[in-house]
């Protein structure tokens, strides 16, 4: 795992080496002239080998926070450092690059390209990194093997089960070798057995040194994380370090 | 993202929506096809006319009464054979000067008849214009001075009166007067819409007697060289003006005729091509429209691509290439359609067509440009899409 130099981190909050640092971050949506405060001042640090579970009622701001942590969105106020870089100072293009190099996303609804094979779906992030076709395919195949889908390389999403699709999505999130994996309700569309196997996969990835931030409704799942964060109405109401 | 990769992605997207892609292309196909076909036909016609005017003979100067300008009324000619002497003195070489008095007449031989353009001419005609004989001889000086009733037939007239038989020495009647055939012309075909194989040449003196007049319609001069041709024309006009103070005269060179005809054809082709170009524009608007629909439909895809690292530029380029692919593929198909149409018109109608590489290059360039111009707005919209909003779209 590699981290960019953190030249501007001297006076920045958080310890050097933290993957993501959010300080008093807010996010207010403007909807037809009405302000919707989805996040009202959240501080959170994700360190390189963290395993953070976020729980909270629907609408409490979990997804909004995940989008910020992943550099898909910018805070309305507050400071957000991803891989040591202040997102307020980045252009959309630089943000895209940061996402590509540092973050892996896993979504509740998989978000696979429908007419594209598992291998090409997994290879997609490498396309935007300028990796050649052959190397892309090799790395995508290796990653699919890693998530137990060596036999599904040329299958399209509609030829796979939900659990398999989510594994493809995880392989896609991992193929660039990110330092943080952000999973927003990754088991929300899966039955419990399949969901368990996906979680086991995430845990083993974390054991290998990838930071994992996971949004879940399942208390048992949250209980297996290193830290549990509870959100309500756009605020973190409790953060508990758990015994491993 | 590498550009080759971007092309592949764009092509895949078009293939995923095959029918829609084809229908969108159709506008461009028809527009480019129409432009290529019309330009080819215009160019072909222009080249044909140039060849025909040049076929009349080089350094040709035509002198006619009146002004040669669009809209001016035809002038009754005051010219007679006396004026020929004046012109001969100016030119200095009678073999370079031809005259004509023309009239449409029915020519008969036995039970056969043909409508012909009867031309009263001098024996100098073959050396002024390019006219080659197929058989027999042309008029002589004596034929002209004595007004002998001899005729040289165009290939068309000879054919319809005598078929495969040799007409030399046979009798024909022109406007009821008997003439002896002494020669026939080689086949010439059409020139400026006139069937030149329907001409019948007789001595100018005989023609004047037949028509009961002593006028001639005009003169033609083959100038010794190109550089002095305008000067010579001016001198001839001045001499004639002196003899006929009440009449204007014009001396027109072959280049001027070509220039005027070329201009008229150019404008015509331009107007038609512009109309066809409008359909290309409409095709472009169609492309723009479909691309906007496509951006909306693929909002989720765009969001996902951005999430995994696509920059706004990468997404913009992807959609722009899609639009350009649509129009350039449409452009190539349109060229094929245009070439096909031009060839069919060329084959099945008297209108000629010439396919020029620059027209094809232009058509291709324009269709690519249409793709870029009409793809920019959808592409920008796609590139700027907020990834969070895009991912939340269901
Ligand atoms: N694009 C948006 N525009 C306006 N309001 C939004 C938008 N996205 C989310 N919200 C609002 O922000 C709040 C938090 O949403 P979200 O982060 O999705 O919550 P969770 O993921 O915990 O269910 C909700 O009230 C939601 O309606
Ligand atoms: Mg959510």
């Amino acid at each position: 795992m590699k981290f960019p130099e953190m030249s501007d981190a001297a006076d920045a909050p958080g310890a050097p080496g933290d993957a993501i640092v959010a300080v008093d971050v807010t996010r207010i949506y403007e909807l037809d002239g009405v302000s919707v405060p989805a996040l009202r001042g959240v501080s959170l640090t994700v360190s390189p080998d963290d395993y953070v579970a976020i729980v909270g009622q629907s609408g409490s701001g979990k997804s909004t926070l995940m989008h910020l942590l992943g550099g898909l969105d910018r805070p309305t106020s507050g400071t957000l450092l991803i891989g040591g870089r202040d997102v307020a100072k980045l252009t959309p293009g630089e943000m895209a690059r940061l996402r590509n190099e540092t973050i892996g996303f896993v979504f509740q609804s998989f978000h696979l390209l429908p007419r594209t094979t598992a291998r090409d779906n997994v290879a997609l992030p490498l396309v935007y990194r300028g990796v050649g076709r052959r190397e892309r395919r090799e790395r995508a195949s290796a990653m699919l093997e890693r998530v137990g889908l060596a036999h599904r390389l040329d299958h399209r999403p509609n030829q796979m089960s939900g659990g398999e699709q989510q594994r493809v999505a995880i392989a896609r999130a991992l193929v660039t070798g990110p330092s943080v994996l952000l999973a927003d309700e990754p088991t929300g569309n899966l039955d419990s057995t399949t969901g368990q196997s996906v979680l086991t996969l995430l845990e083993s990835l974390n054991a290998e040194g990838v930071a994992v931030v996971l949004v879940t409704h399942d208390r048992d799942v949250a209980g297996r994380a290193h830290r549990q964060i509870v959100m309500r109405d756009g605020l973190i109401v409790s953060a508990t370090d758990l015994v491993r | 993202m590498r550009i080759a990769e971007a092309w592949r992605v764009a092509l895949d997207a078009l293939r995923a929506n095959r029918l829609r892609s084809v229908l969108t292309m159709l506008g461009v196909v028809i527009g480019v096809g129409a432009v290529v076909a019309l330009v080819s036909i215009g160019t072909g016609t222009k080249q044909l006319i140039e060849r025909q005017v040049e076929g009349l003979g080089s350094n040709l100067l035509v002198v006619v009464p009146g002004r040669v300008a669009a809209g001016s009324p035809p002038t009754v000619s005051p010219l007679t054979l006396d004026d020929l002497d004046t012109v001969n003195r100016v030119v200095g070489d009678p073999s370079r000067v031809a005259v004509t008095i023309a009239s449409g007449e029915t020519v008969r031989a036995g039970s056969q008849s043909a409508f012909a353009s009867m031309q009263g001419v001098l024996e100098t005609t073959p050396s002024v214009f390019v006219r080659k004989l197929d058989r027999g001889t042309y008029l002589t000086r004596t034929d002209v001075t004595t007004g002998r009733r001899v005729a040289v037939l165009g290939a068309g007239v000879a054919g319809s009166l005598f078929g495969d038989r040799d007409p030399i020495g046979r009798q024909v009647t022109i406007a009821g007067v008997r003439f002896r055939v002494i020669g026939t012309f080689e086949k010439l075909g059409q020139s400026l819409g006139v069937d030149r194989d329907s001409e019948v040449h007789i001595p100018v003196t005989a023609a004047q007697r037949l028509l009961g007049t002593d006028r001639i319609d005009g003169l033609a001069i083959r100038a010794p060289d190109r550089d002095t041709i305008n000067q010579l024309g001016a001198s001839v006009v001045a001499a004639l003006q002196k003899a006929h103070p009440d009449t204007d005269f014009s001396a027109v060179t072959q280049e001027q005729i070509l220039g005027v005809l070329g201009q008229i054809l150019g404008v015509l082709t331009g107007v038609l091509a512009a109309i066809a170009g409008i359909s290309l524009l409409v095709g472009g608007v169609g492309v723009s429209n479909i691309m906007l629909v496509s951006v909306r439909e693929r909002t989720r895809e765009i969001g996902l691509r951005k999430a995994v690292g696509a920059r706004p530029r990468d997404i913009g380029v992807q959609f722009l290439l899609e639009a350009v692919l649509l129009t350039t593929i449409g452009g190539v198909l349109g060229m094929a359609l245009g070439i096909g149409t031009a060839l069919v018109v060329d084959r099945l109608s008297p209108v000629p067509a010439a396919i020029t590489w620059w027209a094809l290059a232009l058509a291709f360039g324009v269709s690519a440009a249409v793709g870029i111009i009409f793809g920019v707005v959808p592409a920008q919209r796609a590139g700027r899409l907020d990834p969070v909003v895009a991912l939340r779209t269901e």
Side-chain angles (χ1 to χ4, degrees):
Chain A
M1 232 155 325
K2 55 187 191 313
F3 290 95
E5 294 301 321
M6 292 193 289
S7 52
D8 59 346
D11 56 334
D18 285 338
I20 303 171
V21 179
V23 181
D24 204 16
V25 161
T26 70
R27 180 67 173 92
I28 299 164
Y29 292 109
E30 296 292 336
L31 203 72
D32 304 326
V34 182
S35 295
V36 182
L39 291 180
R40 300 189 291 152
V42 168
S43 298
L44 177 70
T45 299
V46 180
S47 50
D49 55 357
D50 241 338
Y51 186 4
V52 184
I54 302 177
V55 297
Q57 288 172 348
S58 181
S60 57
K62 304 181 298 293
S63 293
T64 303
L65 178 59
M66 292 293 267
H67 292 146
L68 289 177
L69 297 180
L72 273 174
D73 198 7
R74 295 167 196 263
T76 308
S77 71
T79 308
L80 177 62
L81 306 180
I82 300 173
R85 306 187 66 185
D86 186 347
V87 298
K89 293 175 185 161
L90 300 181
T91 65
E94 289 165 339
M95 294 265 283
R97 196 188 166 115
L98 185 64
R99 289 196 292 274
N100 184 265
E101 291 175 347
T102 316
I103 307 292
F105 284 101
V106 179
F107 305 94
Q108 180 177 350
S109 51
F110 319 143
H111 278 301
L112 299 176
L113 298 183
R115 287 178 301 270
T116 308
T117 62
R119 180 162 42 192
D120 287 345
N121 262 297
V122 172
L124 190 64
L126 298 176
V127 166
Y128 297 106
R129 199 180 261 204
V131 175
R133 191 167 153 80
R134 175 179 295 185
E135 189 189 335
R136 282 205 309 264
R137 291 172 74 88
E138 279 167 7
R139 285 169 67 175
S141 301
M143 203 47 72
L144 279 167
E145 208 167 310
R146 170 74 188 78
V147 300
L149 289 176
H151 58 303
R152 292 281 184 266
L153 298 184
D154 292 316
H155 286 235
R156 288 166 210 282
N158 62 5
Q159 298 166 323
M160 289 184 283
S161 71
E164 286 174 330
Q165 290 185 52
Q166 195 59 299
R167 282 163 183 276
V168 172
I170 292 171
R172 179 181 63 198
L174 291 173
V175 77
T176 54
S179 36
V180 184
L181 195 67
L182 300 174
D184 192 348
E185 301 189 37
T187 60
N189 283 0
L190 303 176
D191 62 64
S192 61
T193 321
T194 318
Q196 281 309 316
S197 74
V198 164
L199 288 167
T200 308
L201 175 60
L202 291 179
E203 279 163 15
S204 69
L205 292 169
N206 174 248
E208 286 171 26
V210 183
V212 173
V213 181
L214 171 73
V215 171
T216 180
H217 287 299
D218 190 329
R219 291 271 163 184
D220 292 342
V221 170
R224 278 151 61 181
H226 302 170
R227 257 194 308 160
Q228 180 177 321
I229 285 169
V230 182
M231 293 193 66
R232 189 183 304 149
D233 290 339
L235 289 171
I236 293 178
V237 292
S238 83
T240 320
D241 281 334
L242 302 168
V243 185
R244 300 191 186 184
Chain B
M1 181 162 52
R2 295 176 179 191
I3 199 77
E5 190 60 31
W7 281 112
R8 240 170 39 83
V9 172
L11 201 62
D12 281 349
L14 294 187
R15 249 187 272 160
N17 255 313
R18 217 163 280 165
L19 179 63
R20 183 206 281 178
S21 303
V22 168
L23 289 177
T24 310
M25 272 178 210
L26 211 56
V28 179
V29 173
I30 292 170
V32 169
V35 171
V36 168
L38 287 170
V39 170
S40 299
I41 289 167
T43 309
T45 308
K46 196 170 162 187
Q47 284 175 358
L48 177 78
I49 288 175
E50 279 167 6
R51 271 199 307 277
Q52 287 176 342
V53 172
E54 276 158 12
L56 291 175
S58 53
N59 295 349
L60 199 66
L61 193 63
V62 175
V63 182
V64 288
R67 289 185 184 285
V68 178
S72 60
T75 312
V76 175
S77 174
L79 295 172
T80 65
L81 284 176
D82 293 341
D83 296 305
L84 175 62
D85 298 331
T86 313
V87 172
N88 277 341
R89 271 197 301 280
V90 175
V91 175
D93 178 359
S95 76
R96 292 185 172 277
V97 183
V99 304
T100 179
I101 174 165
S103 172
E105 301 292 347
T106 303
V107 184
R108 294 179 199 282
S111 60
Q112 304 295 317
S113 73
F115 191 75
S117 161
M118 183 199 77
Q119 311 254 339
V121 295
L122 300 176
E123 78 286 355
T124 54
T125 300
S127 60
V128 175
F129 299 96
V130 178
R131 301 295 322 242
K132 288 209 181 86
L133 288 183
D134 181 30
R135 290 194 247 213
T137 56
Y138 198 68
L139 311 174
T140 63
R141 177 92 201 119
T142 324
D143 293 337
V144 173
T145 47
T146 60
R148 193 173 288 159
R149 297 204 301 268
V150 290
V152 179
L153 306 184
V157 178
S160 45
L161 293 184
F162 297 103
D164 292 336
R165 289 173 297 146
D166 185 358
I168 306 297
R170 294 181 186 276
Q171 299 285 328
V172 294
T173 60
I174 302 172
V177 177
R178 287 151 69 94
F179 280 76
R180 184 167 50 88
V181 179
I182 59 166
T184 60
F185 288 119
E186 268 185 7
K187 198 166 165 50
L188 277 173
Q190 294 231 329
S191 180
L192 307 177
V194 176
D195 178 8
R196 299 185 65 211
D197 291 323
S198 70
E199 287 182 5
V200 171
H201 287 201
I202 61 173
V204 62
T205 41
Q208 285 177 333
R209 200 180 321 143
L210 204 65
L211 297 172
T213 178
D214 62 353
R215 75 183 159 84
I216 55 173
D217 291 340
L219 300 112
I221 300 157
R222 196 155 67 83
D225 60 73
R226 184 162 282 237
D227 300 335
T228 56
I229 192 165
N230 288 322
Q231 215 176 311
L232 182 65
S235 312
V236 170
V237 166
L240 290 174
Q241 208 95 67
K242 207 162 156 196
H244 307 276
D246 299 339
T247 313
D248 289 320
F249 292 92
S250 308
V252 191
T253 64
Q254 185 176 281
E255 270 167 11
Q256 286 168 328
I257 297 171
L258 275 179
V260 170
L261 288 172
Q263 252 172 20
I264 293 169
L265 265 174
V267 169
L268 219 77
T269 307
V271 167
L272 287 174
I275 292 169
I278 289 171
S279 76
L280 189 57
L281 211 68
V282 173
V285 173
V287 169
S288 207
N289 190 25
I290 282 300
M291 291 310 298
L292 285 172
V293 171
S294 178
V295 170
R296 175 167 305 175
E297 272 183 3
R298 283 151 63 194
T299 301
R300 265 162 63 94
E301 176 193 327
I302 294 167
L304 184 271
R305 286 179 183 274
K306 286 196 159 186
V308 301
R311 293 167 297 171
R313 230 192 61 188
D314 293 324
I315 299 295
V317 165
Q318 179 191 328
F319 277 85
L320 193 60
L321 287 186
E322 235 178 276
V324 170
L325 258 183
L326 266 179
T327 59
T328 47
I329 293 174
V332 169
L333 294 178
M335 282 191 233
L337 178 73
I339 292 171
T341 307
L343 290 180
V344 166
V345 167
D346 189 79
R347 178 68 71 82
L348 300 183
S349 80
V351 180
I355 290 138
T356 49
W357 67 266
W358 65 262
L360 294 180
L362 188 74
F364 188 81
V366 166
S367 54
V370 163
I372 292 171
I373 292 165
F374 288 94
V376 156
V377 169
Q380 274 181 348
R381 188 167 290 192
R384 288 191 192 136
L385 218 59
D386 180 351
V388 172
V389 174
L391 282 171
R392 281 194 199 250
T393 308
E394 287 304 324

